[in-house]
Amino acid sequence: KTCHARRCVKRCFGLASGRSGHETLTQQPQTRGKMYSLSSQKKFWTFKTEQELAELRVKQNVRFIAKHGASMTEEQRQAHFLSADEERLLLKQYELQLKEFCKRFEPPMPKYVVGTAFHYFKRFYLNNSSMDYHPKEILATCVYLACKVEEFNVSIAQFVANIKGDRVKAMDIILSNELLLMQELNYYLTIHNPMRPIEGFLIDIKTRCNMSNPDRLRPGIEDFIDKTFLTDAPLMYAPSQIALAAVLHAASKEQENLDSYVTESLFGSAKDKLPVLIEAVRRVRSMVRTIELPPKDRVRFLEKKLEKCRNQENNPDSQIYKQRMKKMYEDEDDLDVMGSSYHMNVSDASLDVSQLNTTNPANMTID
C-alpha cells in the first residue's frame, strides 16, 4: 500500500516511469487506468491563463449580441443585453447555487460527482452565452449528466425530487438539454478530479512524514476543494496541483509545515519541476483566497435583465419554444409510426406496437 501510494503521487506529477497507467487506487469509475497527462481534459480543456478564458467568454457575448441586436444602436445594445462582465458575475452566482444544490442533494452526492458537474458547467459557458441558454436550466442538466457519467445511480424521478417547483417541467428541460450539453462538451465527458491525488498524498504523508494523524487535514482539504470549484482553477491546473495546494493549505491551518516533504520526498530527484509546481500551487491558493461573492442586489438586477434579453427560442416558457418542441415531438411521433409499420410488415404482423418503444434513450447510462 505504501509503495503503491508513492507510485500514485509520482504519476500525478509525471515523475513515474514504466507501465504506471495500469496502477490504480480506488477512484471514480471512469478514470480507472487513465492518466490526466494523456486525457482530453488536458489536451482540450486546460487553459494557460485567465486572460485566455476571459477572451473566450467575451467572444460568446459579442457573438450573441451581434446576432440578436443587429437592428439596435450601440446604446440600445448596452441597455438591453448583458455585458461579458455582467454575464460572468451572474454565472458566479449560479455556481454558488450549483454548490448548494449538490450539498443538499439526496441521496448524498460524492464529491467527485460535484467536481464533474462544475467542470461541465464551466466548459459549457466557454462556448455559449448565458443569454442563449439560461444557467438555471444548464446547471441542473450538468449535475444530472455528471451523475450518469460518474455512475452515481439516481433515476430522473429521484433527481427532480431534489428540485423545487414544477418537477415534470424540470424533467422535460433536463432531458431536452442533455444532448445539447454533450455536444457543447464535444463529448469529452471524462473528468479527472483532485480527489484521487488527495488520497495518494495523505497515504504518502502517513508513511514519509512525522506528522501525527494526517487525516485531521481532511476538513481543511475539503473546504479548500469546495472553494476551487468557484474559481477558474479547474480549467487551468492539473488535479494533482490543485490537490497539493489543498493539502498544503490544510496543513498550514493545522500549523504543520510540509515544505521538506514537497522539496525532498516528492521532488528530490526532479527539482527542475519544482518552480512550476510552486507557482501553480501559489496561484491556486491565491485564486481561492480572493473569491468574491456576487452582491445580491446586483444579481437581482441582472436576473431581471437576463429575462428580457435571453433567447426566447430556448426559453421553455415562451410560445416560440413550445411551438418548436411541439413540432419536434410531432416529427418524432411520425417517425415512430413509420418505424412501427416497417417492423410489423417485415417481421411479425402480430407484434404489439407498444413493444417497439420500451426504452427511453435519455435514461441510458453513459460509459
Side-chain angles (χ1 to χ4, degrees):
K1 185 177 181 181
T2 299
C3 293
H4 187 64
R6 290 179 184 175
R7 289 196 298 268
C8 177
V9 171
K10 286 184 177 181
R11 186 164 62 251
C12 287
F13 290 103
L15 303 178
S17 60
R19 298 174 60 192
S20 58
H22 299 285
E23 301 162 357
T24 61
L25 289 173
T26 301
Q27 61 209 259
Q28 56 196 94
Q30 89 288 2
T31 59
R32 189 175 292 112
K34 297 180 181 179
M35 297 173 62
Y36 167 77
S37 60
L38 302 176
S39 68
S40 60
Q41 180 174 335
K42 177 174 173 57
K43 186 175 182 180
F44 301 109
W45 292 103
T46 300
F47 302 87
K48 293 182 178 180
T49 64
E50 291 179 274
Q51 180 63 30
E52 188 177 359
L53 294 171
E55 288 173 359
L56 287 172
R57 290 164 179 147
V58 169
K59 179 181 177 182
Q60 302 310 322
N61 177 268
V62 170
R63 185 171 67 176
F64 180 89
I65 295 174
K67 179 179 179 181
H68 296 273
S71 60
M72 297 181 182
T73 65
E74 186 60 33
E75 288 185 358
Q76 289 173 328
R77 288 184 178 188
Q78 290 180 4
H80 183 69
F81 296 108
L82 297 176
S83 68
D85 288 339
E86 288 173 333
E87 281 199 76
R88 185 72 190 118
L89 186 67
L90 201 53
L91 287 173
K92 286 183 178 180
Q93 175 62 27
Y94 278 98
E95 287 180 350
L96 289 171
Q97 292 186 21
L98 195 163
K99 176 184 174 183
E100 287 304 309
F101 177 74
C102 294
K103 183 178 180 180
R104 58 180 171 77
F105 193 89
E106 290 293 337
M109 187 178 292
K111 191 72 71 176
Y112 57 80
V113 180
V114 180
T116 295
F118 266 100
H119 270 272
Y120 291 168
F121 188 77
K122 291 174 183 293
R123 290 181 182 185
F124 184 88
Y125 286 107
L126 291 180
N127 291 331
N128 295 278
S129 168
S130 58
M131 293 181 285
D132 219 354
Y133 300 99
H134 201 294
K136 68 181 178 184
E137 294 154 12
I138 298 302
L139 181 158
T141 309
C142 288
V143 180
Y144 181 63
L145 182 59
C147 290
K148 282 186 169 185
V149 171
E150 298 291 4
E151 299 179 17
F152 177 56
N153 296 316
V154 292
S155 67
I156 184 64
Q158 285 178 296
F159 186 89
V160 298
N162 289 274
I163 297 176
K164 298 177 182 178
D166 189 337
R167 290 168 180 169
V168 174
K169 179 181 176 182
M171 186 185 301
D172 288 341
I173 290 172
I174 290 169
L175 297 180
S176 296
N177 285 331
E178 188 176 14
L179 181 58
L180 165 71
L181 174 59
M182 289 190 288
Q183 289 172 337
E184 293 302 315
L185 298 175
N186 294 325
Y187 298 97
Y188 295 124
L189 304 182
T190 299
I191 301 297
H192 294 256
N193 282 297
M195 293 72 189
R196 181 188 178 192
I198 284 171
E199 294 304 317
F201 283 130
L202 290 177
I203 294 172
D204 198 45
I205 289 169
K206 288 176 183 178
T207 59
R208 294 203 280 176
C209 286
N210 295 322
M211 182 188 300
S212 62
N213 187 23
D215 282 329
R216 63 194 167 94
L217 301 182
R218 287 187 182 276
I221 290 173
E222 291 182 8
D223 179 66
F224 186 90
I225 292 298
D226 285 344
K227 290 177 180 177
T228 63
F229 294 151
L230 304 177
T231 72
D232 281 332
L235 295 173
M236 296 177 60
Y237 298 102
S240 57
Q241 294 172 332
I242 295 174
L244 185 58
V247 170
L248 295 177
H249 172 81
S252 67
K253 291 288 185 181
E254 294 290 328
Q255 283 78 49
E256 295 285 356
N257 191 319
L258 292 176
D259 289 351
S260 61
Y261 165 72
V262 174
T263 57
E264 301 303 326
S265 299
L266 283 183
F267 288 89
S269 60
K271 292 190 181 295
D272 57 311
K273 295 189 176 183
L274 198 53
V276 174
L277 174 67
I278 291 173
E279 178 61 18
V281 168
R282 186 191 68 79
R283 286 292 303 130
V284 172
R285 295 183 69 176
S286 174
M287 293 169 84
V288 167
R289 189 168 54 251
T290 56
I291 290 175
E292 293 183 2
L293 299 181
K296 291 183 178 180
D297 56 340
R298 184 65 175 160
V299 168
R300 284 194 291 269
F301 170 78
L302 296 178
E303 287 275 17
K304 293 177 181 178
K305 193 174 181 181
L306 177 60
E307 286 303 321
K308 294 179 181 178
C309 68
R310 68 177 297 190
N311 184 356
Q312 293 304 310
E313 290 185 5
N314 298 324
N315 180 1
D317 295 324
S318 72
Q319 288 302 314
I320 297 175
Y321 178 91
K322 292 175 182 177
Q323 291 171 4
R324 180 165 62 86
M325 295 303 293
K326 181 181 178 182
K327 185 178 185 306
M328 184 179 74
Y329 289 138
E330 288 173 349
D331 291 343
E332 287 180 354
D333 289 342
D334 291 342
L335 290 173
D336 286 343
V337 170
M338 292 174 61
S340 299
S341 300
Y342 173 79
H343 285 294
M344 291 181 70
N345 289 334
V346 300
S347 56
D348 184 358
S350 65
L351 182 64
D352 185 351
V353 175
S354 66
Q355 297 175 3
L356 298 174
N357 190 24
T358 58
T359 60
N360 181 358
N363 285 331
M364 293 173 61
T365 300
I366 302 169
D367 293 329

